[in-house]
Amino acid sequence: MKILVAVKRAIDYNVKARPKSDGTGVELANVKMSMNPFDEIAVEEAIRLQEAGKVEEIIAVSVGPAQCQETLRTAMAMGADRGILVQTETEIQPLGVAKLLKALVDKEQPGLVILGKQAIDDDSNQTGQMLAGLLGWAQGTFAAKVEVGVDTVDVKREVDGGLQALTLKLPAVITADLRLNEPRYVKLPNIMKAKKKPLDIVTPADLGVDVAPRLKLVKVSEPAARAGGVKVADVNELVAKLRNEAKVI
Amino acid sequence: MEREAMEFDVVVIGGGPAGLATAIRLRQLALEHGTGLSVCVLEKGSEIGAHILSGAVMEPRALAELFPDWQELGAPLKTPVTDDRFLFLTRQRAFRLPTPPPMQNHGNYIVSLGNVCRWLAQQAEGLGVDIYPGFAAAEVLYHADGSVKGVATGDMGRTKTGEEGPNFAPGMELHAKQTIFAEGCRGSLTKTLFERFKLRAGVDTQVYGLGVKELWEVTPQQHHAGSVTHTIGWPVDQATYGGSFLYHLEDNLVSIGYVLGLGYANPYLSPFDEMQRFKTHPAIRETFAGARRVAYGARAISAGGFQSIPKLTFPGGLLIGDAAGFLNLPKIKGSHTAMKSGMVAAESLFELLRSESEIGKEAVDYPQRLQNSWLWDELYRVRNIKPAFHWGLWPAMAYSAIDTFVLRGKAPWTLHHTPDHTSLKPAAQCTPIDYPKPDGVLTFDKLSSVFLSNTNHEEEQPCHLTLKDAGVPTRLNLAVYAGPEQRYCPAGVYEFVEEAGTPQLRINAQNCVHCKTCDIKDPSQNINWVTPEGGGGPNYPNM
Ligand SMILES: Cc1cc2nc3c(=O)[nH]c(=O)nc-3n(C[C@H](O)[C@H](O)[C@H](O)COP(=O)(O)OP(=O)(O)OC[C@H]3O[C@@H](n4cnc5c(N)ncnc54)[C@H](O)[C@@H]3O)c2cc1C
Ligand code: SF4
């Protein structure tokens, strides 16, 4: 079985994101970018499945500008066998990414697609679900545990208040949650080896996919500054404040 | 445990201007001569530029020697200096002084040195250099004959107490015919080389300054691209060596920094708070009206100059850049000298590696080549200015004027330095300093500042701020010096907290911004800064 893993280049989780002064987006000039942490978990899971002998080949896919090659090289340094970059300078929304991934799935015929549950930049949490819908495949989102059988896969999902156990028919789409695994450290010699692994570059046009945005970004702004807390003398004052000032009861 | 090893011709420790310039020059020479030469650069930051913090007004001289077509290649030197002011501040007023010749900036550019390094790294990779950010060189390796064999990167995934965690990955050995140390100011491995090879015998001690810097996005009305201001005087007293810089870059960005000599005496002094207070001066604060702060960080600089340059070579390797102390203090510039030293070293190494196939040789002609270059002459001429400040501001200014204008740096004498860690006076002999409370608009506290350095360290790892004697912080530092580490650390890493009724030092290592001040200023040199897991530390954008 082949496995396809989607990896997004996103603002690094250590960086404090800052809106551009004109409100048209987040300031990204010379800001550290990395692989979206949930996608790292997805790659790690694919590698563990390969190490367990369940998977022959891991293909990492990224959609975005030329710099996404670095993200793919990281995936390959972790253990992915090859990479495909769908190169585009324009912003691609979740539906566009899902369509591009579908086109690649049609071509590569993997038995399993693993994605991060969401990217930490826009937190959309949509691509995996949309991809499963477009493919008509089973989906196991928010996966905390994955066990691949002969023609099924067991997925434990993180849901409110516990775990939900599902058995999906293969092929299937899985999205990785935080507790699925802890990704390995990349080793220096593997970074060197990753430079020699195959990396194909295609464009949305090559794949015949229309990626025109459907959503319009209105404005990006800083969250309102938090007002400082106050001490209340007793329960009555608390209730009064909640009712009259906060207007929550 | 057995570590894996990789072999290179040359391994460079540190991806700053010095390390990148040397790697580039080596590969250029190899390509010119059609010979193979493998060059690898290790960088502890998560990416090239992540740990680079500088002013910076850059002299393009070395860059132009390295890439004569740097402008066509798109080097990010976009803002030429247009005007240059030198101010003496009193509490309320600013007096304009003639800009001393070493500080004149015609033909120079205001840059983010981090971005210049990002660009240099691209050029280096294009020339075939292997660059590995996210890997700290943690240990120097030696051959049986005592020559340097290479370095080992740090282990990843150890627990706080040093055991192997679930994701443990041992460090790697990198072996090289020549290992170049380009760790910048107060390099943690360079320090061990000083001892092992007695490289500092017969030269002055190194002295340092701490630069605290912020990057602001100001309103277009307050922005004057190309404008350069330096100040001396207020807020520090005349016995303390300190001064500021204010550089207007492109895109409404203003870089503001305060450099304080670490030879200060009052343990109550806080470089961070001096910087905050400095911004409130009437001549300074208007620039920041309606502006927002976008980044913060701090880094030490080597201020000793000419008389503090150590022996530069040893069997199997050499020192370049600020690790060796090639900073021109009166100019507060070290990026061009860092690059130049790296380029000169590359030329010497290339010859050596071509003629000697064996490993562990010493590039003895590197210092000679340096002495014949403009770098040496430049540092020699300004050698007496910093030590003159030992006499206080006015005598030093008078001396500097005579030294610069009359003697033109050719005075037949050389003034000397004393080590920074010996300069603190006991707290009992000093007055506490009452710094104003931050207003959260122009001035800030340490924690909200450190937040903007984007620093982080994996929490599960041994503390990288090691103490030789765990009792010293309370027994000596707190008892005699009122705990100066709480104040000199610009990231709030050190805190004395009450535990069971007695004060204990708490080390918030995850906040460290790798400025190296604690390693320099601790009165009994009890703090030893070692590399944390690779990739840890600040993530500076545009610094
Ligand atoms: C506040 C301030 C203002 C300044 N202003 C100016 C200015 O206006 N103009 C100017 O020309 N110069 C200026 N300088 C000086 C200039 O920044 C330095 O001289 C220059 O950066 C030195 O270059 P370097 O390559 O030797 O060291 P650095 O720039 O310090 O680079 C060293 C690199 O090595 C890495 N490293 C260190 N140890 C290890 C290790 N063990 N393993 C792996 N990686 C490691 C570090 O992370 C870093 O990236 C300023 C400096 C400061 C602090
Ligand atoms: S702990 Fe030391 S090196 Fe780290 S920020 Fe503080 S003074 Fe600088």
Side-chain angles (χ1 to χ4, degrees), chain A residues 171-190:
Chain A
V173 173
I174 291 175
T175 74
D177 211 325
L178 193 63
R179 268 176 285 253
L180 182 56
N181 60 50
E182 201 185 312
R184 67 197 56 200
Y185 291 105
V186 178
K187 288 200 187 141
L188 255 183
N190 294 347

Side-chain angles (χ1 to χ4, degrees), chain B residues 14 17-18 43-44 54-57 137 183-184 299 301 322 332-335:
Chain B
E43 167 56 50
K44 65 180 162 61
S54 190
V57 173
E183 295 179 287
R299 179 82 171 99
I301 62 173
D322 225 2
I332 27 169
K333 289 193 188 70
S335 59

Side-chain angles (χ1 to χ4, degrees), chain A residues 19-25 219-220, chain B residues 217 292:
Chain A
K20 287 188 190 161
S21 48
D22 61 5
T24 56
K219 191 169 178 232
V220 177
Chain B
E217 190 180 311
R292 74 177 166 158

Side-chain angles (χ1 to χ4, degrees), chain B residues 13-19 42-45 51-58 113 135-137 182-185 188-189 211 245 247 259 299-301 320-323 327 332-336 338 516 531:
Chain B
I13 315 306
L42 285 183
E43 167 56 50
K44 65 180 162 61
H51 287 186
I52 300 294
L53 180 143
S54 190
V57 173
M58 189 172 182
L113 190 61
F135 291 93
E183 295 179 287
C185 176
S188 51
L189 296 184
F245 59 85
Y247 303 150
V259 181
R299 179 82 171 99
I301 62 173
I320 56 174
D322 225 2
L327 184 118
I332 27 169
K333 289 193 188 70
S335 59
H336 65 302
K516 311 282 178 78
T531 48

Side-chain angles (χ1 to χ4, degrees), chain B residues 281-359:
Chain B
H281 192 277
I284 304 298
R285 68 179 311 146
E286 65 202 71
T287 301
F288 302 100
R292 74 177 166 158
R293 189 170 69 145
V294 297
Y296 167 85
R299 179 82 171 99
I301 62 173
S302 308
F306 189 80
Q307 46 278 58
S308 301
I309 297 173
K311 180 167 182 281
L312 298 167
T313 60
F314 39 86
L318 51 78
L319 307 177
I320 56 174
D322 225 2
F326 295 130
L327 184 118
N328 181 332
L329 190 76
K331 276 190 183 175
I332 27 169
K333 289 193 188 70
S335 59
H336 65 302
T337 46
M339 287 182 70
K340 179 67 179 176
S341 64
M343 289 150 62
V344 173
E347 275 154 23
S348 158
L349 281 178
F350 188 72
E351 292 297 313
L352 182 79
L353 291 174
R354 284 211 321 165
S355 55
E356 310 264 353
S357 51
E358 294 135 280
I359 41 185

Side-chain angles (χ1 to χ4, degrees), chain B residues 234-237 240 260 264-275 277 424 427 430-437 482 487:
Chain B
W234 189 85
V236 295
D237 61 32
T240 310
L260 209 132
Y264 67 82
N266 185 346
Y268 291 109
L269 191 143
S270 158
F272 172 85
D273 292 291
E274 295 296 346
M275 153 80 176
R277 175 150 85 162
L424 281 184
C430 298
T431 343
I433 307 175
D434 189 16
Y435 290 107
K437 287 252 168 318
R487 293 177 211 98

